Amino acid sequence: MNIKISGIGSYIPEKSVSNTDFTDHVFLNEDGSPFGHPNEVVVNKFKSITGIENRRYANDQFTTSDLGYFAAQKAIANANIDPETIDYIIFAHNFGDVKHGTIQSDMLPSLATRVKNKLQIQNPKCVAYDLLFGCPGWIEGVLQANAFIKSGMAKRCLVIGGETLSRVVDDHDRDSMIYSDGAGASILEASTDESGMLSYESATFANEEAGYLFFGKSYNPDLDPDTKYIKMYGRKIYEFALSNVPAAMKSCLDKSGLGIDDVKKILIHQANEKMDEAIVTRFYKLYGKTPPKDVMPMSIHDLGNSSVATVPTLFDQVLQGKIENQEINKGDVLIFASVGAGMNINAFVYRY
C-alpha cells in the first residue's frame, strides 16, 4: 500500500519585503561592534549567496496558526474531502504563535488544536498535535502520517508546515534577511493507483551539530540579553548539509529501487540557493552524473526561507504553474528533502 498526497495547499503572505528594505538596518558583529561594510555591499553579497531578492512577512493580525489554517483550507478543498474524516492533524513549526510586536511564543493550546478549532471539526477522534523538527518538520509529519495510515491507525491525515520567522529575528544580525513567513498543508491517504511514497530516510545528528541553530541574544548590547532570537552558525550548517544530505538522498533513492535517471524533480528545502545547488550537484555526482536542467525548482528568490513551510509551498507552487519552466506530470518521480535544526535530515521518494 502506497500513501499519497491527495490534496495540497499553501498560504503566501501578501507583504513583500525586498532586499533594499534592509539598507537602513544597523548590522553589527556578534560582539556588538559595527559590521564595517556599507549595507549596499552587505545586501548585494547576501543576494549572490542565497539567491533571495524578496521575502514574505505575515500581516500583523495573523499568527502561524492562522497561516496554517489558511493553507489547510486550501488542501482540504484540493483533496475534495470532508474535514470530519481527518484522523490526525499534524502541525510542524518551530516557534508557535508569536503575535506581532512581541517575542513571546504561545503554544498552549497546540497550533494543531487551534487549526482543528478553526476548521470547526467536531469529531473528537481527530487527534491534533504539534511537531518540532526544525525546517524538515513538514516532511517528518508526512513520514508520521505514512506510518499511521500503513499501521491502520488512520485513514486520512492533514499535515501542515507553518512559521512566522520574521518575528523571531534579530534586526542587527545579517542572517535576519534570510527568514520569512508562510504555510503549506497536505492531505495524506492511501493510494488507489501506483502513486505515492516509495521510500524514505530520516536522521538526527545531535552531538556538536545540535547547537548549529539556537536561540541567542541580540548582537546589539543595548538590548535585553534575556530576549532571545533565532541564531545560526551558517558556515557549519553549510558544510554539514553538503556532507550529509546528498548521502541521505542517495540512500533514499536506492531504497526505492529506482535509478537516478528516473528522477524528474527534486523539491528541496529553500534555505540557500548556492547550498541547494551544491547539494544536488553532489547528489548526482554520487551516481557519476550531472544534474539535468530544471531538475530543482526554486521559490527562494521571491519567498525567502520560511523554514518548515518551504517544501509544501514549493510543491503547491509548481503544481499551480507559478514557477517558470517547471511542471510535474502524472507518473513523475520526485525526491523531497530537507535539512535543519537538530540537526535533522529527511527525504522521501514519491511517484506523482
Side-chain angles (χ1 to χ4, degrees), residues 19-82:
N19 287 351
T20 56
D21 290 323
F22 289 87
T23 54
D24 292 332
H25 279 227
V26 178
F27 292 121
L28 302 172
N29 292 309
E30 186 176 356
D31 63 2
S33 62
F35 184 62
H37 293 282
N39 281 10
E40 290 77 6
V41 173
V42 174
V43 169
N44 289 336
K45 185 176 181 180
F46 169 83
K47 164 66 169 60
S48 69
I49 295 173
T50 66
I52 299 173
E53 299 179 50
N54 300 289
R55 73 279 298 139
R56 302 298 181 94
Y57 289 174
N59 287 343
D60 294 352
Q61 70 269 33
F62 297 140
T63 59
T64 300
S65 61
D66 292 319
L67 307 193
Y69 164 62
F70 299 146
Q73 285 182 305
K74 293 179 180 179
I76 290 167
N78 183 242
N80 193 26
I81 63 163
D82 178 356

Side-chain angles (χ1 to χ4, degrees), residues 78-200:
N78 183 242
N80 193 26
I81 63 163
D82 178 356
E84 293 293 337
T85 64
I86 296 172
D87 298 302
Y88 278 87
I89 299 175
I90 305 169
F91 199 134
H93 62 88
N94 300 296
F95 300 105
D97 278 354
V98 181
K99 291 183 179 180
H100 175 71
T102 75
I103 198 70
Q104 185 175 24
S105 176
D106 177 5
M107 289 190 249
L108 186 65
S110 72
L111 272 59
T113 295
R114 296 178 193 196
V115 170
K116 179 179 178 179
N117 177 266
K118 292 176 187 291
L119 291 171
Q120 298 184 334
I121 296 174
Q122 302 301 306
N123 178 13
K125 292 186 179 181
C126 171
V127 177
Y129 70 91
D130 289 1
L131 173 62
L132 303 181
F133 201 71
C135 297
W138 176 80
I139 289 181
E140 198 66 21
V142 168
L143 300 188
Q144 291 184 4
N146 176 68
F148 286 149
I149 297 169
K150 282 194 169 182
S151 70
M153 291 178 62
K155 292 183 178 179
R156 183 172 284 155
C157 300
L158 167 61
V159 181
I160 305 167
E163 197 56 85
T164 50
L165 292 178
S166 67
R167 297 175 185 174
V168 292
V169 294
D170 175 12
D171 289 340
H172 301 283
D173 185 343
R174 288 164 293 149
D175 289 339
S176 65
M177 293 187 286
I178 293 173
Y179 301 114
S180 64
D181 307 338
S186 52
I187 298 293
L188 280 293
E189 55 191 314
S191 174
T192 56
D193 54 30
E194 294 183 352
S195 65
M197 186 185 298
L198 305 179
S199 60
Y200 62 88

